[in-house]
Amino acid sequence: MPTPAPIHEPHKVKTIRAIAFPSIDARKRNLAAAEFNVFNLTPAQVGFDMVSYGCGAMTQEQLAGQLIGDEAYAGSRNFITLNEVVTRVLGHTYVCPTHNSLGAVKLLLHAFAKHGQTLPSNARGRVDLHAPRGIELVDARDHGDAVFTGNFDLARLTASVQSSRPPFIGVQAFADGQHPISLANLRASRQIADQHGLRLVLDVSRVVENAWFIQRHEPGMADRSIADIVKQFSKTAHVILMDGAQDARANTGGFLATDNPADHEHFINDIVVYEGLHTYGGMAGRTMEVMARGIEEMCQESGVQWLMQQTERFTARLREAGVPLERGCDGAYLRADQFLPQVKEHPAHALACALYQSSGVRALVQGLVGHDALLPLQIPRFALSNRQLDQIADAVIALYRQRELVPALDRVHADDWHDALRFRGVFADLATFDFDCEPWMIHTLEPIALTTREQRERAIREAGWNTFLLRSDEVMIDLLTDSGTTAMSTTQWAAYDAALPTPATSDAYLDFAAAVREAYGYEHVLPTHQGRAAEQILSEVMITPGQIVPGNMYFTTTKVHQEYAGGEFVDVIVDEAHDPTSHFRWKGNIDLAKVDAIVREHGAGKIAYISFELSVNLAGGQPVSMDNLREVYAYTRKHGIAVMFDATRAVENAYMIQSFDPRYANTHVKDILREIMLYGDGATVSGKKDFLINIGGLLTYKDNAEWARKSEAKLRIYEGGVRDGGLPAADLAAMAQGIREMTDDRYIRARVEQARRLADRLKAVGVPVVEPTGSHAVFVDARRFLAHLDQEQFPAQRLAGEIYLESGVRVMERGIVSAGRDHDGNNYHPALELVRLTLSRRVYTDDHLDEVANGIIRVWQRRERITGLRFTYEPKDLRFFQGRFEPLPAGA
Ligand code: P71
């Protein structure tokens, strides 16, 4: 049985690179400036750049390899590593590195071929490289096989070999990106080569995709691993060459390899003339390392299955809509001539321009002029989600439906090469396609653990049924928290690397302060290492012992610091917040009547400040309305009471206002956030959420210099310097950039809507979740899910464990265990008994979350058989972190 298609990526996102979504006006301007040749557009002018070469996502291991390049001129460590890896994975002993595959072809032809010779091959693409050298390619492809369209016609190959005495036989795995060759046919070609004393030279740049076709379609190969097939396949040739920017997902690099020391000798003698030296070839040491790691990883079964699933899905979606295309190993190759029959000259260019104009998607026409029928839409390996791919296909389909509007281009400069053509064009009235998806491509990824049920049974038992005590490498999809789990952007990393360290005032601090002032409009900016540190300082500065702190539902760390400072927290959130079934839109609101009652009873002077959380976490990520913000501020100003925000998830709250308050539907999140912050006097922020960073926090005051001065005094003692709060300049720099990214309308929409889609899938089958869906998480109501359990049997804790057992997904209990015990030692019985499925920012795709939903639905179907838990170890404080449990026997 072939490995089943994977249900989600076998990795999560580690770093992202932002996508530009140029407006239609910008796209027209760019096309005109590019002289209607999309080759002249830059990635910054493009939405989705559908080219795979050198554009795949690396793994974090490859990224790390980039930093351990040994840049010695001779005998570098990275070369030794590359040689070992090539031998292990591809089965050839002698490796000659080159700067890319062109370097390899150069050495190969110089070593073996002469001007005027002919060369039988299964690929046409190499014509581009051979023709200018006076070497003629003979197409020996068997056009008959339905699957292995890259197979040789063996009779034709033999005839060609006998009549023209070629320098060698050229084979490409997945010829021209479209035509896989079977292992049997490759072996037969090898025999023909041997019989005629010729070398079989194999380009393995896309060997992995070819191996998948062999596994899937060649008789007797279904049980063989991709790694096994890849090795057999490449060992079949006398010489292999590879481009590092394809399957190995380096940004460049290549090599030739062989088992024949005499051939190797040839190559390395020429290499000093053309490429570099035999131990670096014309590559940086780091490139050799990245490529070596890529080759090591490229055969990993689940990754290959994911890659090919994407191509199949993308192609199928286009096919179903009737779009004329040919399958590619890495995407769909549009038949431009059939797509635009009315365009006789350069239809691929006309199609590329129309696609860019209507959607911002770029597909590239490459190579020698004369082959203009195909327009490849290649999927950069691992860089896009299925959601994005589906929409890219839909953009093409939308264009297909208005194809008769697409005009021909007027060529003003002819050339041999597509990249040099220049055109004049007109803009047809094409309807535009708008994307609603993640506004980033994946830059690097991190493999996720794949566990079996037996492994998980052991893991949850050893963790005492507490998901906090599971190890990350036992977890497949981690929805424990959105705190500090963000994927940073390449822009953030650039700022991180470039930051100049100092214990004094850093440029990074000044930039951070400027970003905070711009985002919130507050003057005084104090960095802290994370949110609770800011809460401690704020509480100590603002609370006189004995004062009351009214707030919209408690948060654990916030409340603890208010109490440590001598304050008493009083909950003033609207009643609806405590009812998981209420659909009230603004469940984060403060009930002003409750505040007024406190003021009437104790006087305004008894109130330290209003603790006003945005997107109230423990209520289910529920937003505060703009009206409530205004009303609370008007009231407090009248009574001389300060309002201090917990702005940890303020951006999400701003997005909810944009979504659900019609007056703000056309206001940018950035401007909504500024208005929110107007209705307060200061804020604490756990930067690990909104700020898109892994560590950091903020204490900020609108204009009160006295509070700022007092806070600085505490900052020096508790945290670090007044300008760093204990954070390195690098983290401050990343945080400054994160603050600029956090209010991007597309980003925040993609984030919050992901939660809504997950909740909707659960609700569709009746799984009880907190209504309405919040912004950072979906909260499953364990009380209704396990309705047969008493709250004292810890239903949410048990449900969290069951969800892990079922699917390897880690979630967090937010119920009776988290609430702890009162002074008399009795459990608090909070109204909400929930498990939280928290969504990290920019880390998981919809496909991951679909699997989360599937797992929970499977638990839902067997819910009646699930028993409760009892403590085996209960710590005194914050017991949810360290407590341990065991399941109650059935019938207890
Ligand atoms: C969350 C966290 C992290 C957490 C905290 C305590 C127990 C378990 C997990 C932290 C917040 C937060 C709000 C609204 C302040 C903090 C503390 N949330 N305010 O939701 O949500 O910030 O973690 O940076 O110190 O998993 P800090």
Side-chain angles (χ1 to χ4, degrees), residues 767-768 780-788 799 803 856-864 866:
V767 174
V780 177
D781 187 349
R783 197 194 280 276
R784 281 182 286 152
F785 197 112
L786 298 177
H788 56 289
L799 181 55
I803 290 171
I856 292 173
I857 292 166
R858 290 196 297 272
V859 178
W860 172 245
Q861 284 157 353
R862 59 175 174 80
R863 63 190 179 277
E864 268 120 33
I866 296 172

Side-chain angles (χ1 to χ4, degrees), residues 761-833:
R761 282 220 46 202
L762 294 172
K763 281 194 279 185
V765 295
V767 174
V769 300
V770 173
E771 296 285 359
T773 306
S775 50
H776 70 302
V778 174
F779 290 75
V780 177
D781 187 349
R783 197 194 280 276
R784 281 182 286 152
F785 197 112
L786 298 177
H788 56 289
L789 297 189
D790 189 273
Q791 196 174 17
E792 293 271 347
Q793 297 176 328
F794 313 120
Q797 188 77 26
R798 179 70 201 249
L799 181 55
E802 285 300 322
I803 290 171
Y804 171 73
L805 267 182
E806 187 64 45
S807 52
V809 174
R810 170 155 68 177
V811 303
M812 191 191 283
E813 190 263 9
R814 293 282 90 170
I816 184 168
V817 178
S818 299
R821 293 184 188 272
D822 64 19
H823 295 301
D824 304 326
N826 298 315
N827 283 323
Y828 285 112
H829 286 93
L832 299 178
E833 177 73 17

Side-chain angles (χ1 to χ4, degrees), residues 164-399:
S164 66
R165 301 203 326 103
F168 54 85
I169 298 173
V171 197
Q172 240 185 47
F174 239 113
D176 302 325
Q178 286 178 271
H179 307 295
I181 180 171
S182 70
L183 188 55
N185 190 264
L186 187 71
R187 285 181 168 149
S189 316
R190 160 83 190 218
Q191 269 182 2
I192 293 172
D194 285 340
Q195 280 159 12
H196 295 84
L198 292 175
R199 295 174 189 83
L200 188 71
V201 177
L202 173 65
D203 180 344
V204 293
S205 305
R206 291 184 279 222
V207 65
V208 159
E209 290 89 340
N210 203 126
W212 182 86
F213 266 83
I214 291 172
Q215 186 189 55
R216 193 52 68 107
H217 296 290
E218 192 158 345
M221 303 302 284
D223 292 332
R224 307 270 296 274
S225 69
I226 293 289
D228 189 20
I229 297 169
V230 162
K231 191 160 183 178
Q232 288 311 310
F233 189 87
S234 51
K235 273 167 73 111
T236 304
H238 296 93
V239 176
I240 57 170
L241 69 92
M242 185 174 210
D243 199 309
Q246 297 280 9
D247 281 347
R249 283 175 290 112
N251 53 10
T252 186
F255 63 85
L256 281 161
T258 176
D259 277 330
N260 182 337
D263 281 358
H264 182 241
E265 197 69 25
H266 263 304
F267 301 148
I268 67 175
N269 284 335
D270 285 345
I271 204 169
V272 289
V273 181
Y274 293 110
E275 291 288 289
L277 191 69
H278 66 288
T279 50
Y280 78 87
M283 268 181 281
R286 63 173 169 273
T287 306
M288 285 193 279
E289 190 67 35
V290 171
M291 185 166 75
R293 291 177 180 215
I295 293 167
E296 187 94 69
E297 295 163 352
M298 71 182 184
C299 299
Q300 207 238 330
E301 199 74 27
S302 54
V304 177
Q305 300 301 336
W306 179 256
L307 212 61
M308 296 310 290
Q309 170 276 135
Q310 284 207 317
T311 302
E312 300 274 294
R313 176 187 177 114
F314 184 61
T315 317
R317 196 173 177 103
L318 289 166
R319 271 225 176 89
E320 268 162 38
V323 176
L325 59 87
E326 290 179 14
R327 178 197 63 209
C329 71
D330 50 8
Y333 291 42
L334 303 181
R335 288 295 310 252
D337 51 344
Q338 294 172 17
F339 199 115
L340 301 177
Q342 73 274 27
V343 177
K344 301 296 175 216
E345 297 276 306
H346 302 302
H349 284 276
L351 182 53
C353 286
L355 185 60
Y356 177 72
Q357 181 194 323
S358 60
S359 67
V361 171
R362 167 163 63 185
L364 204 54
V365 204
Q366 282 174 298
L368 276 178
V369 172
H371 308 278
D372 298 53
L374 288 182
L375 181 66
L377 276 167
Q378 299 171 334
I379 305 168
R381 294 172 178 80
F382 297 130
L384 296 175
S385 69
N386 277 350
R387 181 176 177 84
Q388 290 172 322
L389 274 179
D390 286 353
Q391 293 189 19
I392 293 163
D394 290 346
V396 175
I397 293 164
L399 179 61

Side-chain angles (χ1 to χ4, degrees), residues 481 530-532 535 555 613 617 646 649 686 689 836:
T481 175
Q530 62 183 64
R532 62 196 74 179
E535 290 169 350
F555 186 76
E613 187 184 336
N617 189 356
D646 181 339
R649 297 181 182 85
S686 167
K689 287 80 170 178
R836 186 181 72 170

Side-chain angles (χ1 to χ4, degrees), residues 468 480-484 528-535 554-558 613-618 646-649 684-689 695-697 776 812 814 836 838 878 880-881:
F468 276 103
L480 188 70
T481 175
D482 62 335
S483 185
T528 60
H529 85 275
Q530 62 183 64
R532 62 196 74 179
E535 290 169 350
Y554 79 100
F555 186 76
T556 43
T557 57
T558 323
E613 187 184 336
L614 298 159
S615 288
V616 180
N617 189 356
L618 293 192
D646 181 339
T648 295
R649 297 181 182 85
T684 56
V685 180
S686 167
K688 301 168 77 170
K689 287 80 170 178
I695 196 71
H776 70 302
M812 191 191 283
R814 293 282 90 170
R836 186 181 72 170
T838 335
L878 299 177
F880 55 91
F881 280 128

Side-chain angles (χ1 to χ4, degrees), residues 461-514:
R461 209 175 329 113
E462 283 171 7
W465 286 80
N466 184 345
T467 53
F468 276 103
L469 300 179
L470 289 168
R471 299 196 321 249
S472 166
D473 67 0
E474 295 166 336
V475 173
M476 297 215 266
I477 297 176
D478 203 342
L479 306 187
L480 188 70
T481 175
D482 62 335
S483 185
T485 53
T486 297
M488 289 217 299
S489 69
T490 49
T491 319
Q492 285 178 287
W493 271 107
Y496 184 94
D497 278 351
L500 305 176
T502 175
T505 302
S506 65
D507 306 277
Y509 168 76
L510 295 179
D511 193 38
F512 168 66

Side-chain angles (χ1 to χ4, degrees), residues 497-682:
D497 278 351
L500 305 176
T502 175
T505 302
S506 65
D507 306 277
Y509 168 76
L510 295 179
D511 193 38
F512 168 66
V516 169
R517 288 184 191 120
E518 168 71 18
Y520 296 146
Y522 285 14
E523 179 55 28
H524 303 284
V525 179
L526 287 76
T528 60
H529 85 275
Q530 62 183 64
R532 62 196 74 179
E535 290 169 350
Q536 180 189 5
I537 295 171
L538 177 81
S539 303
E540 291 183 13
V541 168
M542 301 295 297
I543 299 170
T544 308
Q547 279 188 311
I548 293 169
V549 189
N552 52 344
M553 201 172 267
Y554 79 100
F555 186 76
T556 43
T557 57
T558 323
K559 181 163 165 251
V560 160
H561 284 299
Q562 289 162 358
E563 286 168 357
Y564 279 13
E568 183 200 344
F569 174 85
V570 177
D571 191 359
V572 293
I573 202 165
V574 292
D575 287 340
E576 288 92 335
H578 298 285
D579 174 4
T581 65
S582 157
H583 284 254
F584 180 53
R585 187 67 265 168
W586 309 105
K587 281 166 120 175
N589 279 358
I590 283 179
D591 185 340
L592 256 186
K594 293 183 185 172
V595 178
D596 193 48
I598 300 171
V599 171
R600 280 168 196 280
E601 187 179 341
H602 302 281
K606 190 83 191 292
I607 293 184
Y609 56 89
I610 305 280
S611 181
F612 207 169
E613 187 184 336
L614 298 159
S615 288
V616 180
N617 189 356
L618 293 192
Q622 302 296 339
V624 180
S625 73
M626 194 65 95
D627 291 325
N628 191 248
L629 284 154
R630 285 192 201 118
E631 284 157 15
V632 169
Y633 199 53
Y635 178 90
T636 54
R637 281 178 64 89
K638 199 168 72 200
H639 291 88
I641 302 167
V643 170
M644 293 296 165
F645 288 122
D646 181 339
T648 295
R649 297 181 182 85
V651 178
E652 291 170 11
N653 199 126
Y655 172 74
M656 290 304 220
I657 290 174
Q658 188 191 54
S659 297
F660 294 111
D661 185 335
R663 298 167 299 176
Y664 290 88
N666 296 314
T667 311
H668 289 300
V669 165
K670 191 177 189 327
D671 296 315
I672 299 173
L673 180 63
R674 279 293 289 253
E675 183 170 341
I676 290 175
M677 300 309 290
L678 210 54
Y679 307 127
D681 304 290

